[in-house]
mmCIF file of all heavy atoms in Angstrom:
data_model
loop_
_atom_site.group_PDB
_atom_site.id
_atom_site.type_symbol
_atom_site.label_atom_id
_atom_site.label_comp_id
_atom_site.label_asym_id
_atom_site.label_seq_id
_atom_site.Cartn_x
_atom_site.Cartn_y
_atom_site.Cartn_z
ATOM 1 N N ALA A 5 -6.957 -3.209 -23.422
ATOM 2 C CA ALA A 5 -6.793 -4.397 -22.588
ATOM 3 C C ALA A 5 -8.066 -5.257 -22.465
ATOM 4 O O ALA A 5 -8.062 -6.434 -22.473
ATOM 5 C CB ALA A 5 -6.398 -3.945 -21.179
ATOM 6 N N ALA A 6 -9.164 -4.520 -22.542
ATOM 7 C CA ALA A 6 -10.437 -5.193 -22.424
ATOM 8 C C ALA A 6 -10.752 -5.917 -23.734
ATOM 9 O O ALA A 6 -11.288 -7.043 -23.759
ATOM 10 C CB ALA A 6 -11.585 -4.235 -22.150
ATOM 11 N N ARG A 7 -10.381 -5.319 -24.866
ATOM 12 C CA ARG A 7 -10.583 -5.980 -26.154
ATOM 13 C C ARG A 7 -9.650 -7.173 -26.387
ATOM 14 O O ARG A 7 -10.073 -8.261 -26.826
ATOM 15 C CB ARG A 7 -10.395 -4.990 -27.282
ATOM 16 C CG ARG A 7 -11.440 -3.911 -27.350
ATOM 17 C CD ARG A 7 -11.467 -3.246 -28.708
ATOM 18 N NE ARG A 7 -10.153 -2.831 -29.189
ATOM 19 C CZ ARG A 7 -9.675 -1.611 -28.948
ATOM 20 N NH1 ARG A 7 -10.454 -0.737 -28.177
ATOM 21 N NH2 ARG A 7 -8.454 -1.206 -29.403
ATOM 22 N N LEU A 8 -8.353 -7.017 -25.911
ATOM 23 C CA LEU A 8 -7.399 -8.091 -26.123
ATOM 24 C C LEU A 8 -7.567 -9.293 -25.159
ATOM 25 O O LEU A 8 -7.282 -10.407 -25.517
ATOM 26 C CB LEU A 8 -6.016 -7.624 -26.095
ATOM 27 C CG LEU A 8 -5.540 -6.622 -27.140
ATOM 28 C CD1 LEU A 8 -4.128 -6.172 -26.941
ATOM 29 C CD2 LEU A 8 -5.614 -7.390 -28.590
ATOM 30 N N TYR A 9 -8.036 -8.896 -23.976
ATOM 31 C CA TYR A 9 -8.181 -9.908 -22.900
ATOM 32 C C TYR A 9 -9.656 -9.810 -22.334
ATOM 33 O O TYR A 9 -9.873 -9.287 -21.217
ATOM 34 C CB TYR A 9 -7.167 -9.664 -21.790
ATOM 35 C CG TYR A 9 -5.707 -9.690 -22.321
ATOM 36 C CD1 TYR A 9 -5.038 -8.489 -22.540
ATOM 37 C CD2 TYR A 9 -5.077 -10.914 -22.697
ATOM 38 C CE1 TYR A 9 -3.761 -8.569 -23.069
ATOM 39 C CE2 TYR A 9 -3.865 -10.915 -23.222
ATOM 40 C CZ TYR A 9 -3.172 -9.707 -23.451
ATOM 41 O OH TYR A 9 -1.897 -9.721 -23.983
ATOM 42 N N PRO A 10 -10.652 -10.294 -23.071
ATOM 43 C CA PRO A 10 -12.053 -10.181 -22.581
ATOM 44 C C PRO A 10 -12.292 -10.987 -21.341
ATOM 45 O O PRO A 10 -13.281 -10.699 -20.696
ATOM 46 C CB PRO A 10 -12.818 -10.684 -23.866
ATOM 47 C CG PRO A 10 -11.904 -11.530 -24.556
ATOM 48 C CD PRO A 10 -10.600 -10.917 -24.391
ATOM 49 N N ASP A 11 -11.552 -11.999 -21.154
ATOM 50 C CA ASP A 11 -11.731 -12.835 -19.948
ATOM 51 C C ASP A 11 -11.270 -12.095 -18.698
ATOM 52 O O ASP A 11 -10.001 -11.832 -18.602
ATOM 53 C CB ASP A 11 -11.089 -14.181 -20.057
ATOM 54 C CG ASP A 11 -11.212 -15.074 -18.841
ATOM 55 O OD1 ASP A 11 -12.070 -14.706 -17.982
ATOM 56 O OD2 ASP A 11 -10.431 -16.009 -18.642
ATOM 57 N N PRO A 12 -12.068 -11.628 -17.804
ATOM 58 C CA PRO A 12 -11.641 -10.895 -16.718
ATOM 59 C C PRO A 12 -10.482 -11.600 -15.845
ATOM 60 O O PRO A 12 -9.536 -10.879 -15.325
ATOM 61 C CB PRO A 12 -12.968 -10.718 -15.796
ATOM 62 C CG PRO A 12 -14.050 -10.774 -16.792
ATOM 63 C CD PRO A 12 -13.588 -11.882 -17.841
ATOM 64 N N ALA A 13 -10.561 -12.904 -15.703
ATOM 65 C CA ALA A 13 -9.620 -13.578 -14.856
ATOM 66 C C ALA A 13 -8.183 -13.375 -15.528
ATOM 67 O O ALA A 13 -7.224 -13.171 -14.846
ATOM 68 C CB ALA A 13 -9.970 -14.984 -14.635
ATOM 69 N N GLU A 14 -8.200 -13.547 -16.797
ATOM 70 C CA GLU A 14 -6.896 -13.525 -17.586
ATOM 71 C C GLU A 14 -6.331 -12.089 -17.474
ATOM 72 O O GLU A 14 -5.167 -11.856 -17.208
ATOM 73 C CB GLU A 14 -7.072 -13.988 -18.996
ATOM 74 C CG GLU A 14 -5.779 -13.817 -19.825
ATOM 75 C CD GLU A 14 -5.928 -14.223 -21.302
ATOM 76 O OE1 GLU A 14 -7.174 -14.102 -21.799
ATOM 77 O OE2 GLU A 14 -4.881 -14.433 -21.932
ATOM 78 N N ARG A 15 -7.235 -11.126 -17.699
ATOM 79 C CA ARG A 15 -6.893 -9.751 -17.669
ATOM 80 C C ARG A 15 -6.315 -9.310 -16.324
ATOM 81 O O ARG A 15 -5.292 -8.640 -16.209
ATOM 82 C CB ARG A 15 -8.027 -8.797 -17.963
ATOM 83 C CG ARG A 15 -7.537 -7.394 -18.435
ATOM 84 C CD ARG A 15 -8.764 -6.517 -18.684
ATOM 85 N NE ARG A 15 -9.911 -7.208 -19.214
ATOM 86 C CZ ARG A 15 -11.153 -6.781 -19.000
ATOM 87 N NH1 ARG A 15 -11.501 -5.700 -18.293
ATOM 88 N NH2 ARG A 15 -12.197 -7.520 -19.513
ATOM 89 N N ILE A 16 -6.966 -9.720 -15.263
ATOM 90 C CA ILE A 16 -6.493 -9.443 -13.832
ATOM 91 C C ILE A 16 -5.171 -10.088 -13.604
ATOM 92 O O ILE A 16 -4.269 -9.412 -13.060
ATOM 93 C CB ILE A 16 -7.658 -10.063 -12.797
ATOM 94 C CG1 ILE A 16 -8.789 -9.031 -12.811
ATOM 95 C CG2 ILE A 16 -6.952 -10.084 -11.412
ATOM 96 C CD1 ILE A 16 -9.935 -9.602 -12.014
ATOM 97 N N ALA A 17 -4.953 -11.262 -14.040
ATOM 98 C CA ALA A 17 -3.553 -11.951 -13.898
ATOM 99 C C ALA A 17 -2.484 -11.132 -14.556
ATOM 100 O O ALA A 17 -1.482 -10.988 -13.984
ATOM 101 C CB ALA A 17 -3.741 -13.371 -14.361
ATOM 102 N N LEU A 18 -2.740 -10.777 -15.776
ATOM 103 C CA LEU A 18 -1.747 -10.008 -16.497
ATOM 104 C C LEU A 18 -1.507 -8.607 -15.882
ATOM 105 O O LEU A 18 -0.381 -8.166 -15.741
ATOM 106 C CB LEU A 18 -2.169 -9.852 -17.962
ATOM 107 C CG LEU A 18 -2.167 -11.175 -18.802
ATOM 108 C CD1 LEU A 18 -2.829 -10.963 -20.127
ATOM 109 C CD2 LEU A 18 -0.715 -11.594 -19.034
ATOM 110 N N LEU A 19 -2.561 -7.945 -15.448
ATOM 111 C CA LEU A 19 -2.344 -6.643 -14.850
ATOM 112 C C LEU A 19 -1.755 -6.719 -13.536
ATOM 113 O O LEU A 19 -0.924 -5.849 -13.136
ATOM 114 C CB LEU A 19 -3.749 -5.948 -14.798
ATOM 115 C CG LEU A 19 -4.452 -5.443 -16.003
ATOM 116 C CD1 LEU A 19 -5.855 -4.993 -15.772
ATOM 117 C CD2 LEU A 19 -3.589 -4.377 -16.844
ATOM 118 N N LEU A 20 -2.072 -7.671 -12.801
ATOM 119 C CA LEU A 20 -1.401 -7.933 -11.415
ATOM 120 C C LEU A 20 0.107 -8.129 -11.669
ATOM 121 O O LEU A 20 0.949 -7.581 -10.902
ATOM 122 C CB LEU A 20 -1.998 -9.130 -10.705
ATOM 123 C CG LEU A 20 -3.294 -8.874 -9.945
ATOM 124 C CD1 LEU A 20 -3.791 -10.222 -9.514
ATOM 125 C CD2 LEU A 20 -2.979 -7.916 -8.775
ATOM 126 N N ALA A 21 0.537 -8.949 -12.574
ATOM 127 C CA ALA A 21 1.900 -9.116 -12.843
ATOM 128 C C ALA A 21 2.594 -7.865 -13.252
ATOM 129 O O ALA A 21 3.751 -7.513 -12.743
ATOM 130 C CB ALA A 21 2.069 -10.128 -14.025
ATOM 131 N N TRP A 22 1.885 -7.057 -14.106
ATOM 132 C CA TRP A 22 2.478 -5.681 -14.529
ATOM 133 C C TRP A 22 2.480 -4.805 -13.417
ATOM 134 O O TRP A 22 3.456 -4.002 -13.240
ATOM 135 C CB TRP A 22 1.611 -5.200 -15.645
ATOM 136 C CG TRP A 22 2.231 -4.072 -16.422
ATOM 137 C CD1 TRP A 22 3.538 -3.653 -16.465
ATOM 138 C CD2 TRP A 22 1.579 -3.204 -17.312
ATOM 139 N NE1 TRP A 22 3.679 -2.579 -17.338
ATOM 140 C CE2 TRP A 22 2.476 -2.248 -17.878
ATOM 141 C CE3 TRP A 22 0.229 -3.073 -17.685
ATOM 142 C CZ2 TRP A 22 2.146 -1.225 -18.686
ATOM 143 C CZ3 TRP A 22 -0.053 -2.051 -18.619
ATOM 144 C CH2 TRP A 22 0.806 -1.085 -19.086
ATOM 145 N N ALA A 23 1.531 -4.825 -12.539
ATOM 146 C CA ALA A 23 1.409 -3.908 -11.352
ATOM 147 C C ALA A 23 2.634 -4.152 -10.365
ATOM 148 O O ALA A 23 2.953 -3.260 -9.581
ATOM 149 C CB ALA A 23 0.084 -4.071 -10.722
ATOM 150 N N GLY A 24 3.145 -5.332 -10.438
ATOM 151 C CA GLY A 24 4.265 -5.682 -9.551
ATOM 152 C C GLY A 24 5.620 -5.118 -10.016
ATOM 153 O O GLY A 24 6.680 -5.357 -9.331
ATOM 154 N N PHE A 25 5.611 -4.484 -11.245
ATOM 155 C CA PHE A 25 6.903 -3.981 -11.781
ATOM 156 C C PHE A 25 7.716 -3.085 -10.701
ATOM 157 O O PHE A 25 8.850 -3.184 -10.551
ATOM 158 C CB PHE A 25 6.610 -3.254 -13.050
ATOM 159 C CG PHE A 25 7.727 -2.494 -13.620
ATOM 160 C CD1 PHE A 25 8.725 -3.156 -14.428
ATOM 161 C CD2 PHE A 25 8.024 -1.100 -13.310
ATOM 162 C CE1 PHE A 25 9.857 -2.444 -14.966
ATOM 163 C CE2 PHE A 25 9.180 -0.522 -13.799
ATOM 164 C CZ PHE A 25 10.056 -1.137 -14.647
ATOM 165 N N PRO A 26 6.997 -2.029 -10.060
ATOM 166 C CA PRO A 26 7.825 -1.176 -9.222
ATOM 167 C C PRO A 26 8.555 -1.867 -8.071
ATOM 168 O O PRO A 26 9.659 -1.381 -7.728
ATOM 169 C CB PRO A 26 6.666 -0.285 -8.658
ATOM 170 C CG PRO A 26 5.594 -0.325 -9.628
ATOM 171 C CD PRO A 26 5.639 -1.670 -10.202
ATOM 172 N N ALA A 27 8.117 -2.995 -7.709
ATOM 173 C CA ALA A 27 8.844 -3.630 -6.549
ATOM 174 C C ALA A 27 10.104 -4.269 -7.042
ATOM 175 O O ALA A 27 11.066 -4.477 -6.164
ATOM 176 C CB ALA A 27 7.953 -4.814 -6.032
ATOM 177 N N HIS A 28 10.272 -4.421 -8.272
ATOM 178 C CA HIS A 28 11.543 -5.023 -8.799
ATOM 179 C C HIS A 28 12.273 -4.025 -9.648
ATOM 180 O O HIS A 28 13.349 -4.484 -10.261
ATOM 181 C CB HIS A 28 11.206 -6.349 -9.574
ATOM 182 C CG HIS A 28 10.352 -7.240 -8.781
ATOM 183 N ND1 HIS A 28 10.779 -8.020 -7.760
ATOM 184 C CD2 HIS A 28 9.084 -7.589 -8.969
ATOM 185 C CE1 HIS A 28 9.883 -8.743 -7.319
ATOM 186 N NE2 HIS A 28 8.776 -8.534 -7.908
ATOM 187 N N ALA A 29 11.776 -2.903 -9.901
ATOM 188 C CA ALA A 29 12.440 -1.889 -10.755
ATOM 189 C C ALA A 29 13.603 -1.139 -10.168
ATOM 190 O O ALA A 29 13.666 -1.059 -8.880
ATOM 191 C CB ALA A 29 11.421 -0.969 -11.286
ATOM 192 N N PRO A 30 14.544 -0.735 -10.973
ATOM 193 C CA PRO A 30 15.640 0.129 -10.456
ATOM 194 C C PRO A 30 15.046 1.354 -9.821
ATOM 195 O O PRO A 30 14.029 1.929 -10.361
ATOM 196 C CB PRO A 30 16.523 0.466 -11.635
ATOM 197 C CG PRO A 30 15.607 0.255 -12.845
ATOM 198 C CD PRO A 30 14.662 -0.847 -12.486
ATOM 199 N N PRO A 31 15.578 1.912 -8.757
ATOM 200 C CA PRO A 31 14.995 3.087 -8.084
ATOM 201 C C PRO A 31 15.198 4.310 -8.927
ATOM 202 O O PRO A 31 16.026 4.480 -9.819
ATOM 203 C CB PRO A 31 15.879 3.194 -6.792
ATOM 204 C CG PRO A 31 17.159 2.642 -7.164
ATOM 205 C CD PRO A 31 16.888 1.410 -8.046
ATOM 206 N N VAL A 32 14.210 5.218 -8.756
ATOM 207 C CA VAL A 32 14.278 6.508 -9.374
ATOM 208 C C VAL A 32 14.870 7.587 -8.499
ATOM 209 O O VAL A 32 14.730 7.461 -7.308
ATOM 210 C CB VAL A 32 12.812 6.980 -9.854
ATOM 211 C CG1 VAL A 32 12.392 6.072 -11.069
ATOM 212 C CG2 VAL A 32 11.883 6.982 -8.853
ATOM 213 N N PRO A 33 15.468 8.573 -8.976
ATOM 214 C CA PRO A 33 15.996 9.564 -8.171
ATOM 215 C C PRO A 33 14.974 10.230 -7.245
ATOM 216 O O PRO A 33 13.787 10.552 -7.717
ATOM 217 C CB PRO A 33 16.567 10.711 -9.108
ATOM 218 C CG PRO A 33 16.812 9.928 -10.413
ATOM 219 C CD PRO A 33 15.796 8.862 -10.504
ATOM 220 N N GLY A 34 15.184 10.342 -6.032
ATOM 221 C CA GLY A 34 14.252 10.806 -5.058
ATOM 222 C C GLY A 34 13.208 9.852 -4.453
ATOM 223 O O GLY A 34 12.445 10.079 -3.618
ATOM 224 N N GLY A 35 13.301 8.509 -5.008
ATOM 225 C CA GLY A 35 12.449 7.513 -4.644
ATOM 226 C C GLY A 35 10.963 7.670 -5.198
ATOM 227 O O GLY A 35 10.702 8.506 -6.027
ATOM 228 N N GLY A 36 10.099 6.832 -4.631
ATOM 229 C CA GLY A 36 8.747 6.885 -4.963
ATOM 230 C C GLY A 36 8.436 6.060 -6.263
ATOM 231 O O GLY A 36 9.332 5.444 -6.869
ATOM 232 N N THR A 37 7.254 6.093 -6.667
ATOM 233 C CA THR A 37 6.820 5.474 -7.918
ATOM 234 C C THR A 37 6.174 6.409 -8.909
ATOM 235 O O THR A 37 5.279 7.282 -8.560
ATOM 236 C CB THR A 37 5.725 4.514 -7.609
ATOM 237 O OG1 THR A 37 6.303 3.497 -6.572
ATOM 238 C CG2 THR A 37 5.289 3.699 -8.811
ATOM 239 N N PRO A 38 6.695 6.552 -10.128
ATOM 240 C CA PRO A 38 6.099 7.377 -11.083
ATOM 241 C C PRO A 38 4.625 7.164 -11.315
ATOM 242 O O PRO A 38 4.159 6.069 -11.248
ATOM 243 C CB PRO A 38 6.901 7.041 -12.452
ATOM 244 C CG PRO A 38 8.204 6.478 -11.950
ATOM 245 C CD PRO A 38 7.816 5.666 -10.716
ATOM 246 N N TRP A 39 3.828 8.242 -11.578
ATOM 247 C CA TRP A 39 2.431 8.148 -11.635
ATOM 248 C C TRP A 39 2.037 7.083 -12.691
ATOM 249 O O TRP A 39 1.064 6.349 -12.413
ATOM 250 C CB TRP A 39 1.887 9.482 -12.023
ATOM 251 C CG TRP A 39 0.318 9.480 -12.195
ATOM 252 C CD1 TRP A 39 -0.231 9.754 -13.512
ATOM 253 C CD2 TRP A 39 -0.623 9.360 -11.271
ATOM 254 N NE1 TRP A 39 -1.558 9.733 -13.279
ATOM 255 C CE2 TRP A 39 -1.897 9.490 -11.947
ATOM 256 C CE3 TRP A 39 -0.672 9.179 -9.906
ATOM 257 C CZ2 TRP A 39 -3.115 9.419 -11.288
ATOM 258 C CZ3 TRP A 39 -1.948 9.077 -9.234
ATOM 259 C CH2 TRP A 39 -3.072 9.183 -9.972
ATOM 260 N N TYR A 40 2.615 7.183 -13.858
ATOM 261 C CA TYR A 40 2.212 6.281 -14.919
ATOM 262 C C TYR A 40 2.359 4.776 -14.606
ATOM 263 O O TYR A 40 1.564 3.892 -15.074
ATOM 264 C CB TYR A 40 2.994 6.484 -16.174
ATOM 265 C CG TYR A 40 4.490 6.265 -16.130
ATOM 266 C CD1 TYR A 40 4.961 4.957 -16.259
ATOM 267 C CD2 TYR A 40 5.397 7.301 -15.905
ATOM 268 C CE1 TYR A 40 6.337 4.655 -16.178
ATOM 269 C CE2 TYR A 40 6.752 7.007 -15.757
ATOM 270 C CZ TYR A 40 7.229 5.792 -15.992
ATOM 271 O OH TYR A 40 8.496 5.525 -15.874
ATOM 272 N N GLU A 41 3.248 4.422 -13.665
ATOM 273 C CA GLU A 41 3.434 3.014 -13.197
ATOM 274 C C GLU A 41 2.311 2.498 -12.395
ATOM 275 O O GLU A 41 2.209 1.301 -12.243
ATOM 276 C CB GLU A 41 4.741 2.874 -12.431
ATOM 277 C CG GLU A 41 5.965 2.998 -13.323
ATOM 278 C CD GLU A 41 7.228 2.603 -12.554
ATOM 279 O OE1 GLU A 41 7.146 2.198 -11.437
ATOM 280 O OE2 GLU A 41 8.275 2.882 -13.112
ATOM 281 N N LEU A 42 1.407 3.377 -11.889
ATOM 282 C CA LEU A 42 0.227 3.031 -11.198
ATOM 283 C C LEU A 42 -0.953 2.705 -12.073
ATOM 284 O O LEU A 42 -2.034 2.279 -11.560
ATOM 285 C CB LEU A 42 -0.105 4.022 -10.109
ATOM 286 C CG LEU A 42 0.931 4.316 -9.134
ATOM 287 C CD1 LEU A 42 0.535 5.455 -8.202
ATOM 288 C CD2 LEU A 42 1.303 3.037 -8.334
ATOM 289 N N ALA A 43 -0.731 2.804 -13.379
ATOM 290 C CA ALA A 43 -1.845 2.536 -14.333
ATOM 291 C C ALA A 43 -2.418 1.151 -14.172
ATOM 292 O O ALA A 43 -3.643 1.086 -14.164
ATOM 293 C CB ALA A 43 -1.394 2.850 -15.741
ATOM 294 N N PRO A 44 -1.631 0.066 -14.095
ATOM 295 C CA PRO A 44 -2.240 -1.227 -13.936
ATOM 296 C C PRO A 44 -3.144 -1.314 -12.704
ATOM 297 O O PRO A 44 -4.163 -1.927 -12.732
ATOM 298 C CB PRO A 44 -0.993 -2.115 -13.864
ATOM 299 C CG PRO A 44 0.115 -1.417 -14.565
ATOM 300 C CD PRO A 44 -0.225 0.017 -14.214
ATOM 301 N N GLU A 45 -2.759 -0.713 -11.600
ATOM 302 C CA GLU A 45 -3.508 -0.769 -10.399
ATOM 303 C C GLU A 45 -4.854 0.027 -10.542
ATOM 304 O O GLU A 45 -5.908 -0.382 -10.151
ATOM 305 C CB GLU A 45 -2.751 -0.191 -9.227
ATOM 306 C CG GLU A 45 -1.622 -1.118 -8.699
ATOM 307 C CD GLU A 45 -1.285 -0.881 -7.276
ATOM 308 O OE1 GLU A 45 -2.087 -0.342 -6.586
ATOM 309 O OE2 GLU A 45 -0.221 -1.316 -6.914
ATOM 310 N N ARG A 46 -4.758 1.111 -11.311
ATOM 311 C CA ARG A 46 -5.972 1.840 -11.599
ATOM 312 C C ARG A 46 -6.989 1.122 -12.471
ATOM 313 O O ARG A 46 -8.148 1.184 -12.270
ATOM 314 C CB ARG A 46 -5.637 3.223 -12.191
ATOM 315 C CG ARG A 46 -4.998 4.201 -11.197
ATOM 316 C CD ARG A 46 -4.921 5.607 -11.640
ATOM 317 N NE ARG A 46 -3.963 5.770 -12.753
ATOM 318 C CZ ARG A 46 -2.589 6.036 -12.547
ATOM 319 N NH1 ARG A 46 -2.181 6.160 -11.365
ATOM 320 N NH2 ARG A 46 -1.682 6.122 -13.580
ATOM 321 N N LEU A 47 -6.386 0.379 -13.392
ATOM 322 C CA LEU A 47 -7.197 -0.465 -14.305
ATOM 323 C C LEU A 47 -7.913 -1.592 -13.473
ATOM 324 O O LEU A 47 -9.040 -1.969 -13.670
ATOM 325 C CB LEU A 47 -6.397 -1.057 -15.442
ATOM 326 C CG LEU A 47 -5.865 -0.100 -16.424
ATOM 327 C CD1 LEU A 47 -5.252 -0.794 -17.557
ATOM 328 C CD2 LEU A 47 -6.814 0.926 -16.869
ATOM 329 N N LEU A 48 -7.105 -2.177 -12.536
ATOM 330 C CA LEU A 48 -7.721 -3.157 -11.727
ATOM 331 C C LEU A 48 -8.850 -2.723 -10.879
ATOM 332 O O LEU A 48 -9.835 -3.336 -10.631
ATOM 333 C CB LEU A 48 -6.611 -3.784 -10.870
ATOM 334 C CG LEU A 48 -5.604 -4.698 -11.623
ATOM 335 C CD1 LEU A 48 -4.304 -4.939 -10.717
ATOM 336 C CD2 LEU A 48 -6.215 -6.063 -11.955
ATOM 337 N N THR A 49 -8.605 -1.477 -10.291
ATOM 338 C CA THR A 49 -9.608 -0.792 -9.480
ATOM 339 C C THR A 49 -10.895 -0.624 -10.249
ATOM 340 O O THR A 49 -11.926 -0.731 -9.761
ATOM 341 C CB THR A 49 -9.047 0.483 -8.884
ATOM 342 O OG1 THR A 49 -7.922 0.231 -8.023
ATOM 343 C CG2 THR A 49 -10.146 1.114 -8.119
#
């Protein structure tokens, strides 16, 4: 991500959009958010 999007502002915008996936995704059995889906938020952090 850092190589493809060296501009921090652009990278943040793309990661924020991706981080919003769980809010619009079909529910998983038992609810919650799979660990891997939090990867964009961890990159932002």
Side-chain angles (χ1 to χ4, degrees):
R7 291 200 307 271
L8 292 180
Y9 304 102
D11 178 14
E14 181 184 18
R15 199 184 329 153
I16 287 172
L18 290 168
L19 290 175
L20 277 174
W22 194 18
F25 173 85
H28 308 288
V32 292
T37 301
W39 174 252
Y40 64 81
E41 287 186 11
L42 299 176
E45 290 204 17
R46 289 191 288 273
L47 298 187
L48 286 165
T49 299

